[in-house]
Each structure stands twice: as C-alpha cells, then as structure tokens.
Amino acid sequence: MTPAAPPRLAGQPATLVIDGRVETGRAVLLPRGELVHGCADILAEALATLPADIERVEVDMAGVVFMDTAGLEFLDILGGHGRRQAVPVTTANWRGQPLRILELAGLDPADPLRTDRPRTAGHPSAPTAGLPAGRQPGPESAPAPSAVAAERSERLRVLQEEVAQLRRAIASRPVIDQARGVLMALHACTSDEAWHILREASQLSNTKLRTVAAAVTASAESDGPPPPAEVRSALRTALGRLGR
C-alpha cells in the first residue's frame, strides 16, 4: 500500500502522544505514554484528523506504559468511532501494567473493544445452552440487578485500588533505587542483596520500605542524619544475616 502523508497525531499533555501513519484505506495509531485523565480527548483529536475514506483503524498499544481507569474511557472512544464510521477498530500489543488493568476490568486483551463477548454463567444475559428446548432460564439462573451492580462495583474498586498501589510504587521507586545504590557501595553487595536488606529492615522495624530507603539515602549525604534507632538496628540485623 502507498503511504499517505503521515500526520503527527499528538495532544498537548506530555503524558500521552499519539503518532500515526495513514496508508490506503488503513490508519495505524501509535500512542506513547500514559492513559490517564485527558487521554480520551487526545484520542478524539487524533481520530478527528483521519481521512474520511479510512476503512480500518489499528491501534498499537506497545508504547503505553501506564493506565488507570481513564484508559477505559479511551477504549470507549475507540469503540464509538468504529460504530459511527462503520469501520473495524482494533488494538494490539497490550503489555505490562495496562494489560493487568484490562484483565482486572474483565476485558479480553486480544480484543478489548469486542462487544459480543460470551457472558459468564449466571449473568443476566447468559446464553441458554444446556436448557431443554423451549425452556427459558428461571429467576434462580440469573442474579438480581442489584447483585450484578454490586459485582461491577467491587470489580471497579479492585481496579482503582491496584492503580493506586502501582502509582505509590512508581513514586517510591527512585528513593528505593538510590538506597540500593548506597548499600551496594557501602557493603559491596549486589542489587538483589541490597533489595533484600531494605525489605527485611522494613519488616523488622515495622517501618514502610520507602521510609527506610529515604533514611538510608539521607544518611549517605554529607552531614546527613543517621537512620532512626529502630531502623539502624534492623539494618544491622539484615546485614548480619547476609554476612556483611
């Protein structure tokens, strides 16, 4: 196929950029960054720039490194575009944390835009396979609407909780990595050994891992304060178990 002029499809926020190329009858979008608040607007802007004669839209998600519940709105925008334009829209190459979010949301990573996924047993719109001919499922075969709503609410709660945990882990990683470097330099240990020292010190002192890491990093600076007594004791114990 002959490539057309490939416009740069980008939004203003630095968290997400959507590049793309347009070929005869086919558009390929390449989002890079995070699917967070505002990502749906960036996608809508990108889709609006596509030529009217596009027959297929493919979205390569390999460049997306983080996704929260706003990513589900991103998918809604994609699906809505396909329905309005009557063209197939597909996504591919989900990986890492965004892949986990799709799984938690109950979506098929191979085709999260599919709207005719088979229902699970007990769902109000589950198929009637296995029932005698002419017999419809009775009230006992489908949960009440309130039960369905409660299940969806719980799934969303778990999804939001995991996103929050991942955000905290991402925010904590720099100081933890710095502390590992300090321990490696001071005690001639490996990166994995430094990680185990920090984790064990956290458990022994009943102190958050990030707090232990911050104390270790601060103590390595010129005139930096030593770690609190309970953290120092826990670090000594952890180092001793590794023979340091």
Side-chain angles (χ1 to χ4, degrees), residues 49-74:
T49 69
L50 297 178
D53 60 351
I54 287 296
E55 299 174 357
R56 181 178 184 83
V57 178
E58 300 173 5
V59 187
D60 187 336
M61 306 301 296
V64 174
V65 297
F66 186 86
M67 168 178 165
D68 63 15
T69 51
L72 303 181
E73 184 180 358
F74 181 96

Side-chain angles (χ1 to χ4, degrees), residues 1-20:
M1 294 188 295
T2 304
R8 178 177 177 81
L9 308 176
Q12 294 301 317
T15 54
L16 181 69
V17 173
I18 304 180
D19 294 317

Side-chain angles (χ1 to χ4, degrees), residues 82-103:
R83 290 189 294 273
R84 287 192 304 274
Q85 302 299 321
V87 298
V89 180
T90 60
T91 65
N93 296 326
W94 293 89
R95 60 188 63 182
Q97 185 267 351
L99 175 62
R100 172 63 176 154
I101 295 300
L102 289 185
E103 293 170 345

Side-chain angles (χ1 to χ4, degrees), residues 6-56:
R8 178 177 177 81
L9 308 176
Q12 294 301 317
T15 54
L16 181 69
V17 173
I18 304 180
D19 294 317
R21 64 178 184 270
V22 177
E23 301 167 340
T24 304
R26 173 174 173 260
V28 178
L29 302 184
L30 306 166
R32 294 181 288 108
E34 302 180 353
L35 298 187
V36 293
H37 178 70
C39 67
D41 293 335
I42 298 171
L43 174 62
E45 180 182 347
L47 293 170
T49 69
L50 297 178
D53 60 351
I54 287 296
E55 299 174 357
R56 181 178 184 83

Side-chain angles (χ1 to χ4, degrees), residues 119 123-138 141:
R119 302 292 185 175
H123 191 282
S125 53
T128 59
L131 291 175
R135 179 183 171 188
Q136 295 300 315
S141 65

